Amino acid sequence: MTNLLVLSKKLVYSKMEIIYIIVFIEILIYIIYKKSNLLLSKKDFFPNISNDLIRKFNSFDNGLGWVNQKNSIKKEPSQGKEIVYTYNELGARSIGDIDIKDSSISTYGDSYCLSREVKDIETWQYFLSKDLNTNIINFGVGNYGLDQSLLRLKKEYKNNPTNTVIMAITPYTITRITSVWKHFSEFENVLAFKPRFIVKNDKLEFISNIIKDKKQLLRIKEYQDYLYKYDEHINYFDSHIYKFPFIFSLIKNPKPLFRTVNVKLTRLFEKLRLPKVALWFSDKYFLPEIIYRKKLFTQNEKLLKLLIKDYVYFSKENNFTPILLMLPAIEDVKYYKKTKDKYYDNFTKKISDDIITLDFMDFLSHNIEKLSQYYIDNYWGGHYSVLGNLKLAVFLKERLNESKIII
């Protein structure tokens, strides 16, 4: 009888310990959840957008989604500094006195094309313009994918023709061209609605931007059917939703929580001046994102190839030399260096003899020991630093000479 009592007490204590552990885990996850932008709730699916936020959306464009405004100045903080972006009468980023020279090259693409986080006279277009003694027009726009960049090219080229066009994008473009609302893949980017292309009967079909007026952003939920049909990242968003009891969400999909913890640990070890440990955790943070992109590249290979072919076709119609330039982020370079897996390789392989494909990975992967010098931030990468843009300009000049591009 005594043994049974002892055993029953042990079982009770064991159950209590399990309950305490579960409660502790729940509290811990809840604390992390409240401070994380990767752990979402159901109400985040269609967040409220204020009139004030819409009024500040000065870059809105009902065709492209958003675009840099002509004759404007934009300021943003980066690494404790204020970066100024000056846009000229074309809506292109200014590069000072070089703007007055004739242009033989124009560039289109995303924020790596724009040369975000450096001054107007620290962009790779500025350095290359100095070397080639020509004005290289910078039509780069933050968050653009290949699809929007191609649409911008078709919109601008007639009034701003050049002998050569460089389409400069990052591997992240695969996420962008499969999206119509950036919020589902880049959480909280709620203003960014965009057009896209889909593949139908082995051809491109254009899906226009459903937001024709900024005020429509006040009624996003009305476009739920459209979003479910054309945005391929809803499941990705849904996988980041955590709800009580949190432990079940953790078991179902631990990656968002682990990525959040990696961010916290990276910043902790950075403060403790243990850079190797901090880098290890920041690399772990990016790994799920790269795996997701890799999957998207496999699923959307035809879409990518058709977009590039459309770019080539437009170049033939307008008699310019098309160049496709891949500008990898820091996580892409680190992943390739460790695995030798260039997951976007089919994208940069020559699809046609009528296009020149270049990949800055060819330089960066052979200079891995200096990688931190080529990006704004050693842990999170950001964009290319002044030195990174200088090296990119040299890389492009050499490749242009090899390809016998006439400037």
Side-chain angles (χ1 to χ4, degrees), residues 42-165:
K42 282 191 173 182
K43 68 179 181 180
D44 292 321
F45 209 90
F46 290 107
N48 291 323
I49 299 176
S50 67
N51 275 299
D52 187 52
L53 185 61
I54 291 173
R55 279 194 295 270
K56 293 176 182 178
F57 188 18
N58 296 323
S59 60
F60 173 75
D61 183 275
N62 60 15
L64 294 167
W66 59 93
V67 73
N68 300 324
Q69 298 301 297
K70 298 177 181 180
N71 299 311
S72 66
I73 294 176
K74 183 180 178 181
K75 300 177 182 180
E76 70 174 7
S78 173
Q79 302 294 304
K81 300 177 183 178
E82 184 178 70
I83 304 298
V84 178
Y85 303 86
T86 308
Y87 298 104
N88 60 26
E89 66 278 3
L90 305 179
R93 189 170 186 186
S94 174
I95 45 178
D97 57 350
I98 300 175
D99 266 349
I100 64 174
K101 296 182 180 179
D102 291 334
S103 303
S104 57
I105 300 175
S106 55
T107 64
Y108 295 81
D110 55 30
S111 57
Y112 278 68
C113 177
L114 178 66
S115 294
R116 201 164 183 171
E117 296 186 270
V118 296
K119 298 176 183 177
D120 293 339
I121 56 171
E122 294 173 341
T123 68
W124 56 268
Q125 289 92 339
Y126 175 82
F127 296 130
L128 189 58
S129 291
K130 296 278 279 186
D131 283 343
L132 301 179
N133 195 33
T134 184
N135 170 28
I136 298 178
I137 310 175
N138 183 352
F139 281 118
V141 181
N143 280 322
Y144 265 24
L146 175 59
D147 50 0
Q148 286 167 291
S149 303
L150 184 57
L151 290 169
R152 179 91 192 273
L153 167 64
K154 291 179 178 181
K155 183 179 180 180
E156 300 288 352
Y157 188 82
K158 183 179 179 180
N159 294 322
N160 303 287
T162 55
N163 297 332
T164 301
V165 172

Side-chain angles (χ1 to χ4, degrees), residues 11-24:
L11 288 172
V12 170
Y13 286 134
S14 296
K15 287 180 181 179
M16 290 300 295
E17 287 172 358
I18 292 170
I19 292 170
Y20 287 144
I21 290 170
I22 291 172
V23 170
F24 174 76

Side-chain angles (χ1 to χ4, degrees), residues 1 26 75 106 110 164 170 238 290 298 312-313 330 336 343 355 383 394:
M1 187 69 179
E26 283 293 312
K75 300 177 182 180
S106 55
D110 55 30
T164 301
T170 66
D238 193 54
I290 289 179
T298 302
V312 172
Y313 180 76
I330 196 169
Y336 175 68
Y343 65 94
I355 187 170
H383 300 82
V394 172

Side-chain angles (χ1 to χ4, degrees), residues 165-176:
V165 172
I166 300 176
M167 189 67 69
I169 49 179
T170 66
Y172 193 73
T173 200
I174 190 62
T175 309
R176 293 166 176 166

Side-chain angles (χ1 to χ4, degrees), residues 238-289:
D238 193 54
S239 70
H240 288 72
I241 293 177
Y242 270 44
K243 55 187 177 182
F244 183 82
F246 295 111
I247 196 165
F248 291 125
S249 295
L250 174 62
I251 292 169
K252 183 180 177 182
N253 195 354
K255 289 179 182 178
L257 181 64
F258 290 165
R259 291 186 76 197
T260 298
V261 172
N262 283 331
V263 172
K264 306 294 183 185
L265 291 174
T266 299
R267 290 171 178 164
L268 172 64
F269 286 108
E270 183 183 5
K271 287 180 180 179
L272 294 175
R273 297 185 180 180
L274 295 169
K276 289 184 178 180
V277 181
L279 281 170
W280 188 87
F281 282 110
S282 66
D283 289 350
K284 294 297 180 185
Y285 167 83
F286 283 116
L287 186 58
E289 193 170 303

